[in-house]
Amino acid sequence: MELSFIWVKKFNSLVNFSLNLSNKYQYKYDSDTNFLSRSNDSPLPKDFFGKGVTSVTGIFGKNGSGKTNCLKLIGSIMSRARSRIDSDFIAVIDDVDGPVVYFRFKEKDRLDPTIDFSGTIKNYGDDIRGLNTVFLSNTFDSVDMGFDKKIMNLSIANRGKSKDEFIDIIEFLTDKELGGDFPKPSEVEVVLKPLRSKNFNSILLRLEPSLIYNLNSELSDINDLSKKFIDRINVRLRKKSKIYDVILVIAINETINIFRSLCQRSNNEEEVFNYLNMLLNYFKFDKPSVGSSIDQLQELSFYIENARVSVSSLDNTIERDATEYYKDKISKLIDSLESISTLLEVMEYSVFKVDDISYSSVDGFKFVLGNDNYSEDYLDSLSLLSNYGRLSFRDMSSGQKAILGILASIYSQVKRKRNATLIMLDEADLYLHPEWQLFFVKKMTEILSSLNKSSVQLIITSHSPLIMTDFPKRCLILLENRNKETFIKKNSFNPFGANLYELYSQGFFLKESKVGALAFEKITSLINEIKYNTTGSPLHEDFYLTLDLISDEVSKAEIMRLTKKHDKDI
């Protein structure tokens, strides 16, 4: 199943605009005659982009040409187009049972479109079902795309707010078949929240004044007791911290959080009193430990079961019995604490080593996990720790994070999907080193082919000549903007496997670049010197001196490659 064609009367810079996204067919719509035709394209070799990858389309053009508008149009067609597209449009979905032509015409008396192929014609409802849609952008302004929740937005602006990206990258790197091409970072920095008395004080601040008034004298001093309890531990941790203390701080923080949640949500004054009394006993431990925290949580779970706890509001749902919810929450926390204890204590030397461990009552724990072997135990350790703090790669460049963020996010999503999936990548080459641009499409299609449970369609926007060389002519759309309107540029050139200077000679890139005229002239002269050197004579010294001056990595990397080929040929 794939989205093969879109026509829209007016959408931003797209006017009477057609977008062919199929690698098998060419569709053409005539709005004057209301006629949609289809012709066969010359076939690609079987599984050219990998098994299950039905089509790959590259949309290229300089900034402002309309690439992002094309993706906005596609996303709008896939979900809630009625509220996003204020004009006529047509969309074709090709499926195993044949093409389905969806249309929406604003004039109610306008006839359905006619077609010259066997297919089904349907009025567009409010979305297109059966095709999962994933959007990913490397730009930070991608939140303005306006997609609804049906479209999975994995853009960098969203991924940076979540622990999921870190875990996705670890899982991807752990996959020996797909992640083996990348150097694995050997150091992970971990930052965990400190113990703070205000975490407990917030319990009392939210309680009814009448309830606080009714508390006995011992409980009324609970603020002072909790502060002394936490200050005592903080003083000890600042002097000397060990890896076991990490689990202790997690245990205390999470124990207080559960008590706080119960107190704030409880409908019963007596229940709140009992929770505070249990917590008061917890604060009386001279030497709190992970074991004492677990004992306290088990006691709380036993009390909840017997009291049949109810709360006023839980996760924005209607009032309901919360006994099973909190019992399950406590049980999972106990399992997590025991697992972390095992992983951090027993496997400290076999799974990883801990370096630079420090503690501050303001910033919390900071330490580095060193690792030379990406084992399943290591992945489990990081996944558990990510629930309680912030994890980041210490020895990974921004370029590495960029490409791994893209590949790992797609890897994670495709692995979970069982229906046909449409993936849109906006500015796929942004922040990527030229070396990684060269194998980006290959690695992406390998992931899609390896993991998909159904068909996958890939649409990429870019302005990178290196990425363009992986697209056969029929899979390529070139855009240009004239007078604030987007047009598809006619193209007789096949970029697949082409050299960079051949792309430049077509005027796709350097002719439209924003480099200075002198730099443009020098770069062009280097390319021409290689291209027209028919005598086989060695390149002169000035050639290499000029090449060393070029800062653009894309141009320089390709010219160096052509230079090596030239030297080898002679």
Side-chain angles (χ1 to χ4, degrees):
M1 184 177 187
E2 68 176 25
L3 176 64
S4 295
F5 175 78
I6 295 176
W7 169 85
V8 66
K9 185 176 182 180
K10 178 73 171 70
F11 181 78
N12 297 337
S13 65
L14 312 178
V15 181
N16 193 20
F17 187 81
S18 295
L19 199 59
N20 272 287
L21 302 170
S22 172
N23 293 166
K24 296 179 181 179
Y25 307 109
Q26 282 291 320
Y27 288 88
K28 186 176 181 180
Y29 177 68
D30 188 327
S31 58
D32 293 331
T33 60
N34 197 17
F35 180 68
L36 177 66
S37 61
R38 185 180 79 174
S39 59
N40 293 329
D41 217 336
S42 53
L44 290 171
K46 185 179 179 181
D47 297 332
F48 183 74
F49 290 111
K51 185 177 180 181
V53 182
T54 59
S55 69
V56 175
T57 303
I59 303 177
F60 288 78
K62 66 180 183 179
N63 291 336
S65 61
K67 301 189 298 294
T68 301
N69 277 337
C70 288
L71 297 188
K72 284 184 178 180
L73 173 64
I74 294 169
S76 298
I77 291 289
M78 295 309 300
S79 181
R80 297 182 62 187
R82 286 181 174 274
S83 60
R84 301 175 190 275
I85 305 177
D86 189 27
S87 77
D88 298 348
F89 64 84
I90 289 174
V92 179
I93 298 291
D94 274 306
D95 204 350
V96 290
D97 296 327
V100 180
V101 180
Y102 293 90
F103 73 95
R104 178 177 178 259
F105 296 150
K106 296 190 71 176
E107 299 174 11
K108 294 183 179 180
D109 57 346
R110 189 174 180 185
L111 298 175
D112 297 358
T114 56
I115 57 178
D116 68 350
F117 52 89
S118 177
T120 305
I121 300 176
K122 288 185 177 182
N123 269 295
Y124 179 90
D126 201 31
D127 60 8
I128 293 177
R129 300 183 180 181
L131 187 60
N132 300 312
T133 307
V134 177
F135 172 76
L136 188 151
S137 173
N138 256 353
T139 62
F140 282 95
D141 59 354
S142 59
V143 291
D144 297 329
M145 296 294 283
F147 296 146
D148 64 10
K149 293 182 179 179
K150 181 182 176 182
I151 296 178
M152 179 63 67
N153 192 333
L154 302 178
S155 300
I156 189 171
N158 292 343
R159 297 198 314 269
K161 301 174 183 177
S162 171
K163 65 167 186 168
D164 294 341
E165 180 184 20
F166 180 87
I167 298 302
D168 287 346
I169 290 176
I170 290 292
E171 289 182 349
F172 175 68
L173 291 174
T174 307
D175 189 309
K176 295 180 180 179
E177 181 179 350
L178 297 173
D181 292 334
F182 296 90
K184 294 176 174 57
S186 59
E187 294 184 339
V188 172
E189 183 176 72
V190 183
V191 179
L192 299 176
K193 294 178 181 179
L195 289 175
R196 289 179 178 169
S197 56
K198 71 175 185 180
N199 289 344
F200 175 74
N201 295 345
S202 62
I203 298 177
L204 298 181
L205 291 175
R206 293 198 179 188
L207 297 180
E208 293 292 331
S210 59
L211 178 58
I212 298 176
Y213 179 79
N214 290 332
L215 295 175
N216 63 28
S217 58
E218 188 177 27
L219 285 176
S220 65
D221 294 331
I222 196 168
N223 269 338
D224 291 336
L225 188 60
S226 67
K227 187 176 185 306
K228 290 177 181 178
F229 173 82
I230 290 172
D231 286 347
R232 187 171 70 250
I233 300 174
N234 279 335
V235 168
R236 178 168 66 84
L237 294 179
R238 283 196 297 268
K239 290 180 179 179
K240 187 177 181 181
S241 297
K242 296 182 179 179
I243 195 64
Y244 182 80
D245 296 320
V246 172
I247 312 125
L248 175 61
V249 169
I250 292 174
I252 295 173
N253 275 334
E254 294 304 313
T255 300
I256 292 176
N257 284 339
I258 286 184
F259 273 104
R260 179 175 57 184
S261 177
L262 283 162
C263 288
Q264 290 171 349
R265 297 180 183 278
S266 179
N267 297 320
N268 189 305
E269 185 175 297
E270 182 181 354
E271 278 183 1
V272 175
F273 182 90
N274 289 332
Y275 295 144
L276 292 175
N277 199 39
M278 292 172 69
L279 199 53
L280 179 68
N281 292 328
Y282 181 59
F283 288 152
K284 289 180 179 179
F285 283 115
D286 289 331
K287 294 182 179 180
S289 64
V290 176
S292 62
S293 297
I294 290 176
D295 289 343
Q296 188 71 15
L297 289 169
Q298 289 173 336
E299 181 183 343
L300 177 61
S301 180
F302 180 75
Y303 172 81
I304 287 173
E305 183 175 15
N306 286 287
R308 300 304 298 175
V309 172
S310 62
V311 296
S312 57
S313 176
L314 185 63
D315 298 336
N316 298 318
T317 60
I318 60 173
E319 182 174 334
R320 64 182 179 86
D321 180 83
T323 302
E324 294 303 319
Y325 172 85
Y326 276 104
K327 280 183 59 183
D328 182 62
K329 189 179 182 71
I330 293 170
S331 176
K332 288 179 178 178
L333 176 57
I334 291 173
D335 290 343
S336 181
L337 291 173
E338 290 176 339
S339 297
I340 294 175
S341 297
T342 301
L343 289 167
L344 291 185
E345 289 183 281
V346 178
M347 300 182 182
E348 179 177 349
Y349 299 102
S350 60
V351 180
F352 48 69
K353 61 179 181 179
V354 181
D355 291 322
D356 302 333
I357 187 166
S358 64
Y359 179 81
S360 162
S361 56
V362 175
D363 299 322
F365 270 109
K366 288 185 179 180
F367 57 94
V368 175
L369 295 180
N371 172 57
D372 295 322
N373 178 24
Y374 271 51
S375 64
E376 188 173 331
D377 290 331
Y378 182 65
L379 177 61
D380 290 341
S381 304
L382 297 181
S383 182
L384 279 170
L385 285 173
S386 69
N387 293 321
Y388 305 106
R390 186 178 73 252
L391 279 64
S392 60
F393 298 107
R394 204 180 195 192
D395 53 346
M396 182 183 288
S397 68
S398 58
Q400 282 180 293
K401 290 179 182 177
I403 189 168
L404 285 173
I406 295 172
L407 296 176
S409 296
I410 297 299
Y411 171 87
S412 175
Q413 283 302 310
V414 173
K415 190 169 60 172
R416 296 168 184 158
K417 303 294 184 185
R418 296 193 175 273
N419 294 334
T421 302
L422 166 63
I423 297 174
M424 300 183 288
L425 301 181
D426 192 21
E427 301 291 0
D429 58 292
L430 206 59
Y431 309 125
L432 300 187
H433 187 279
E435 181 182 357
W436 293 327
Q437 291 182 33
L438 283 170
F439 73 86
F440 178 79
V441 174
K442 179 177 180 293
K443 181 57 66 174
M444 180 62 67
T445 52
E446 282 178 356
I447 291 172
L448 300 181
S449 178
S450 169
L451 296 176
N452 70 298
K453 303 297 189 297
S454 185
S455 63
V456 181
Q457 178 180 8
L458 179 62
I459 301 171
I460 296 177
T461 71
S462 174
H463 56 264
S464 166
L466 297 182
I467 287 182
M468 181 187 276
T469 60
D470 274 333
F471 286 87
K473 177 184 173 183
R474 79 195 64 173
C475 304
L476 184 72
I477 297 173
L478 294 175
L479 301 180
E480 60 182 349
N481 189 286
R482 302 195 299 267
N483 298 322
K484 298 183 179 181
E485 187 175 332
T486 296
F487 295 89
I488 294 180
K489 190 175 182 178
K490 291 184 178 180
N491 170 38
S492 59
F493 176 71
N494 180 18
F496 186 77
N499 289 321
L500 192 64
Y501 67 79
E502 291 181 293
L503 292 176
Y504 286 164
S505 68
Q506 299 296 317
F508 295 154
F509 297 100
L510 278 183
K511 186 177 180 181
E512 299 175 338
S513 77
K514 296 180 180 179
V515 300
L518 177 63
F520 174 79
E521 178 186 338
K522 297 298 182 183
I523 292 173
T524 305
S525 69
L526 295 182
I527 294 173
N528 288 336
E529 188 164 345
I530 300 172
K531 183 176 181 180
Y532 297 114
N533 189 338
T534 57
T535 63
S537 57
L539 300 170
H540 55 77
E541 182 182 2
D542 285 347
F543 177 94
Y544 293 100
L545 291 174
T546 304
L547 180 60
D548 287 341
L549 296 174
I550 298 173
S551 64
D552 178 63
E553 293 293 339
V554 174
S555 302
K556 192 170 185 176
E558 180 61 14
I559 294 173
M560 289 177 69
R561 186 184 70 81
L562 295 174
T563 301
K564 291 177 181 178
K565 183 178 183 300
H566 170 272
D567 292 343
K568 183 179 179 180
D569 290 342
I570 64 172

